[in-house]
Amino acid sequence: MKAIEVNGLRKAYRDHVAVADVSFSVAEGEIFGILGPNGAGKTTTVECVAGLRVPDGGTIKVCGLDPRRDRDRLRRTLGVQLQSAELPEKIKVWEALELFASFYDSPADTAELIERMGLAAKRDTAYAKLSGGQRQRLSIALALVGRPRVAILDELTTGLDPQARRDAWELIEQVRASGVTIVLVTHFMEEAERLCDRLALIDAGRVVAMDTPSGLVGMVSDEQRLRFRPSAPFDDALLLALPEVSDVRRSGEQVVVSGTGNLPSAVTLALASAGVVPTDLRIEQATLDDAFLALTGRKLT
């Protein structure tokens, strides 16, 4: 069974169309990413999925439940962490978890959840005194306290330093390993590539493409580039004769080879046959950023 099914979702605010036409499905146990620039309609989409906003059109099912008709049952199935969520400054970590746990018939063990999220040392700390990373850990804990089958995490790592962001990624992977399906809203390419099984690229309220991260990149180009400095001179014809190579260019002492297939192996073997060693070798491929630019005509910012 699909954990989430969204078909033809539409939502407008007066004259502004936030979501024009969004459809996607999420398999159970999947980390499904919703990737797009600020203002693309990502948050509105997941707020409709969570039953926090009423869509103007389309259908939504979460574990077979309608977010509007089955709101109480959905609350026991879905955990949500929204970017805009804030807690009272003086509430302590344990108090926040106990408060949220009181909303459920069979909540998770809050002490165990505090330990699992790495917050044991901050159990009695007020929300205002938590670091950005600690607040995000608490947000994840609050999203999980009801033992949900599905968790929506919206812009989880915005504002975090690189180490705190990677810590959050590890937590997300642990949550998925425990059997929770995750919808991850983000505008960070590295985050999407690291965590997501599949991605929906959203721009201007529409899904412009949906696939695995590598599949989205493959839609744009499967070309690779090798950059290196040769240990000795060689004729470009040596590499241009290879079926994997489409182009050879030079920039000062650096050689840039473009092509497809098993390009690194073909090039290094050909160079070795001529007694040339490629030093400072780098392999470059198209990225999700390249894919988004090709599909929408603009950078993801």
Side-chain angles (χ1 to χ4, degrees):
M1 187 175 85
K2 297 291 186 183
I4 297 176
E5 293 182 272
V6 177
N7 290 294
L9 178 64
R10 298 187 303 277
K11 179 64 180 178
Y13 303 101
R14 295 185 180 179
D15 297 330
H16 173 64
V17 178
V19 179
D21 182 11
V22 167
S23 300
F24 62 87
S25 63
V26 181
E28 288 189 348
E30 186 174 33
I31 296 181
F32 183 85
I34 297 179
L35 179 70
N38 292 330
K42 305 186 304 296
T43 294
T44 297
T45 295
V46 295
E47 287 178 343
C48 289
V49 171
L52 300 175
R53 294 192 185 277
V54 178
D56 298 322
T59 61
I60 301 170
K61 294 288 184 182
V62 181
C63 298
L65 302 174
D66 183 301
R68 287 173 287 177
R69 292 198 304 265
D70 307 310
R71 190 161 186 165
D72 288 341
R73 292 171 64 194
L74 180 66
R75 185 169 55 84
R76 296 191 290 271
T77 300
L78 182 69
V80 182
Q81 179 268 326
L82 296 177
Q83 182 183 8
S84 58
E86 286 288 335
L87 293 170
E89 290 190 355
K90 293 183 179 180
I91 195 169
K92 296 177 181 178
V93 168
W94 72 267
E95 290 174 330
L97 276 163
E98 290 293 340
L99 174 63
F100 276 60
S102 70
F103 302 153
Y104 301 95
D105 297 329
S106 181
D109 184 314
T110 56
E112 181 181 318
L113 201 50
I114 286 173
E115 186 71 35
R116 179 180 168 194
M117 293 295 114
L119 291 169
K122 298 295 180 179
R123 183 182 183 279
D124 296 314
T125 302
Y127 181 75
K129 295 185 178 180
L130 297 176
S131 68
Q134 290 161 353
R135 290 187 182 192
Q136 296 296 46
R137 287 173 179 267
L138 178 57
S139 291
I140 296 175
L142 295 175
L144 298 178
V145 74
R147 300 181 189 272
R149 291 171 58 188
V150 179
I152 293 175
L153 306 177
D154 183 14
E155 299 288 5
L156 180 74
T157 62
T158 297
L160 300 187
D161 61 63
Q163 184 56 55
R165 182 172 294 134
R166 281 165 175 74
D167 289 344
W169 293 351
E170 290 182 8
L171 283 176
I172 293 169
E173 289 171 331
Q174 290 172 20
V175 170
R176 193 262 287 275
S178 71
V180 179
T181 301
I182 296 173
V183 176
L184 181 68
V185 180
T186 184
H187 64 270
F188 290 118
M189 293 295 186
E190 186 183 0
E191 183 165 283
E193 288 182 302
R194 158 80 181 264
L195 296 174
C196 298
D197 300 304
R198 289 188 307 129
L199 286 165
L201 297 187
I202 293 184
D203 187 42
R206 297 179 184 273
V207 174
V208 295
M210 185 162 49
D211 205 332
T212 63
S214 60
L216 288 170
V217 172
M219 288 181 187
V220 179
S221 173
D222 59 357
E223 186 176 78
Q224 304 172 64
R225 290 183 298 274
L226 299 184
R227 293 179 182 271
F228 62 90
R229 297 178 188 278
S231 63
F234 70 93
D235 193 318
D236 290 357
L238 173 71
L239 300 182
L240 288 170
L242 300 172
E244 294 86 355
V245 174
S246 59
D247 185 50
V248 177
R249 298 189 181 189
R250 294 177 182 262
S251 176
E253 297 180 355
Q254 194 173 68
V255 178
V256 182
V257 182
S258 302
T260 57
N262 196 353
L263 184 68
S265 177
V267 169
T268 53
L269 285 173
L271 291 172
S273 70
V276 179
V277 177
T279 60
D280 299 327
L281 178 66
R282 286 185 295 161
I283 302 173
E284 301 174 352
Q285 294 178 298
T287 65
L288 274 177
D289 208 11
D290 296 326
F292 194 86
L293 176 61
L295 291 164
T296 67
R298 61 196 183 96
K299 284 280 190 180
L300 180 60
T301 55

